[in-house]
Amino acid sequence: MESNAVILTAPGQLGLDTVGLIPPVADDIIVAIRHSGISTGTEKLFWSGKMPPFPGMGYPLIPGYEAAGEVVEAGADSGFRVGEHVFVPGASCYDGAFGLFGGAAQTLVTKAARVTRIDPGMGAAGALFALAATARHAMAGPNKAVPDLIIGHGVLGRLLARLTIAAGAPAPTVWEIDPQRMDGADGYQVMTPESDPRRDYMSIYDASGRGDLLNDLIGRISKGGEIVLAGFYTAPLQFAFPPAFMKEARFRVSAEWTPADMTATKSLVEAGALELADLITHQQPADAAPQAYETAFTDPACLKMILNWGTA
């Protein structure tokens, strides 16, 4: 078996090529991917060569943890049927290429337990479940507070704001410095840091991935306030201790989503409480992958780029 796939052969060297697939077993399904998303966080780091050591790294590498498609073959023990539509959070099914995260392919093999059934009517938006579940994971669960300030109005920041409102909590404030990303707020306010006078936030969520903002954020929290690191940070994080000491600041790192987050997120989407489709600003055919990835990583007007695999 073979598939077309996006392959990074080295930092900055990306294209569409053919790769072998590992044969499926009884609890596997084969999925024809219709849409895959491009992450401007971790995937950009692999593309630029700035990703710190990470399990499963190496080149050639197939990126992508946001994919949606149709089951075209179902193993006897998979519990799926041909024709069902699923969200796939990547795959490691390639012969001769690293599958981190492995979702940017026209056809892939995956364990059935890893995928989530979705409504085929979602179209390209079905590829965004991982980001939505990641946002939900950051703010849901024991000893977690919803954000009252969010740093960054990209896709993750918008999802955090939407989930906060969907939870019935007070609308958060969102900071953004790029004029092209100031719009799109619904029920909450977006402003520049300079125009925000508040110094009493109890829960600040950083969705920007900028570790150099920590000292500024410490100055914005109330005593005992929390800063949630919801981005991905390539350099060691540091901050001045005396201000953090005076504030008794708390720091929390948010990691990837869990199956419970995915279940809850799917329920919100199906109930109409969480919108995903309007987060997609750009789409390109998979054959244009090099240009699509460059646009996703360099154009601030591009919130989410989707690759369409129908003609690859």
Side-chain angles (χ1 to χ4, degrees), residues 167-240:
T173 297
V174 178
W175 282 1
E176 180 56 61
I177 59 174
D178 193 317
Q180 298 183 81
R181 295 195 168 192
M182 298 289 287
D183 62 357
D186 184 7
Y188 59 93
Q189 185 176 13
V190 182
M191 62 177 66
T192 62
E194 296 77 16
S195 62
D196 184 1
R198 284 190 61 177
R199 298 290 188 279
D200 61 349
Y201 290 108
M202 283 303 300
S203 184
I204 300 179
Y205 279 55
D206 176 54
S208 71
R210 287 187 54 186
D212 60 322
L213 295 178
L214 279 181
N215 284 322
D216 293 335
L217 301 184
I218 290 169
R220 296 289 190 146
I221 59 172
S222 294
K223 191 176 183 68
E226 180 181 60
I227 296 171
V228 180
L229 303 173
F232 195 91
Y233 307 85
T234 58
L237 300 178
Q238 59 183 0
F239 56 88

Side-chain angles (χ1 to χ4, degrees), residues 160-176:
L160 288 168
R162 293 178 183 190
L163 286 167
T164 301
I165 293 172
T173 297
V174 178
W175 282 1
E176 180 56 61

Side-chain angles (χ1 to χ4, degrees), residues 255-271:
E256 61 187 356
W257 55 272
T258 67
D261 297 309
M262 182 62 70
T263 299
T265 300
K266 181 184 175 186
S267 295
L268 287 169
V269 171
E270 291 177 343

Side-chain angles (χ1 to χ4, degrees), residues 29-303:
I29 58 174
I30 301 176
V31 183
I33 298 301
R34 306 301 186 212
H35 304 95
S36 64
I38 298 176
S39 165
T40 55
T42 50
E43 287 186 56
K44 182 177 180 179
L45 297 175
F46 286 119
W47 180 77
S48 64
K50 295 181 180 179
M51 186 71 174
F54 197 84
M57 279 184 61
Y59 296 96
L61 178 144
I62 297 173
Y65 57 84
E66 305 168 292
E70 181 180 351
V71 177
V72 293
E73 186 173 322
D77 298 335
S78 70
F80 279 79
R81 303 187 312 273
V82 171
E84 291 186 288
H85 284 249
V86 293
F87 166 78
V88 187
S92 181
C93 58
Y94 305 103
D95 185 7
F98 289 89
L100 189 72
F101 297 91
Q106 189 171 29
T107 305
L108 53 79
V109 179
T110 180
K111 295 297 178 187
R114 298 190 71 242
V115 309
T116 300
R117 289 180 174 89
I118 61 173
D119 182 348
M122 291 195 67
L128 301 188
F129 272 99
L131 270 175
T134 297
R136 195 265 180 185
H137 180 79
M139 55 187 288
N143 303 315
K144 292 182 180 179
V146 297
D148 46 13
L149 174 63
I150 298 165
I151 312 303
H153 201 221
V155 174
L156 181 59
R158 293 172 196 236
L159 285 166
L160 288 168
R162 293 178 183 190
L163 286 167
T164 301
I165 293 172
T173 297
V174 178
W175 282 1
E176 180 56 61
I177 59 174
D178 193 317
Q180 298 183 81
R181 295 195 168 192
M182 298 289 287
D183 62 357
D186 184 7
Y188 59 93
Q189 185 176 13
V190 182
M191 62 177 66
T192 62
E194 296 77 16
S195 62
D196 184 1
R198 284 190 61 177
R199 298 290 188 279
D200 61 349
Y201 290 108
M202 283 303 300
S203 184
I204 300 179
Y205 279 55
D206 176 54
S208 71
R210 287 187 54 186
D212 60 322
L213 295 178
L214 279 181
N215 284 322
D216 293 335
L217 301 184
I218 290 169
R220 296 289 190 146
I221 59 172
S222 294
K223 191 176 183 68
E226 180 181 60
I227 296 171
V228 180
L229 303 173
F232 195 91
Y233 307 85
T234 58
L237 300 178
Q238 59 183 0
F239 56 88
F241 183 75
F245 173 82
M246 297 297 292
K247 293 288 185 75
E248 291 191 74
R250 296 177 295 125
F251 300 89
R252 176 164 60 85
V253 176
S254 181
E256 61 187 356
W257 55 272
T258 67
D261 297 309
M262 182 62 70
T263 299
T265 300
K266 181 184 175 186
S267 295
L268 287 169
V269 171
E270 291 177 343
L274 181 63
E275 176 64 34
L276 300 179
D278 64 341
L279 298 171
I280 299 170
T281 55
H282 292 66
Q283 296 194 48
Q284 291 285 345
D287 293 337
Q291 300 94 318
Y293 274 78
E294 185 169 358
T295 297
F297 296 153
T298 61
D299 184 355
C302 181
L303 287 178

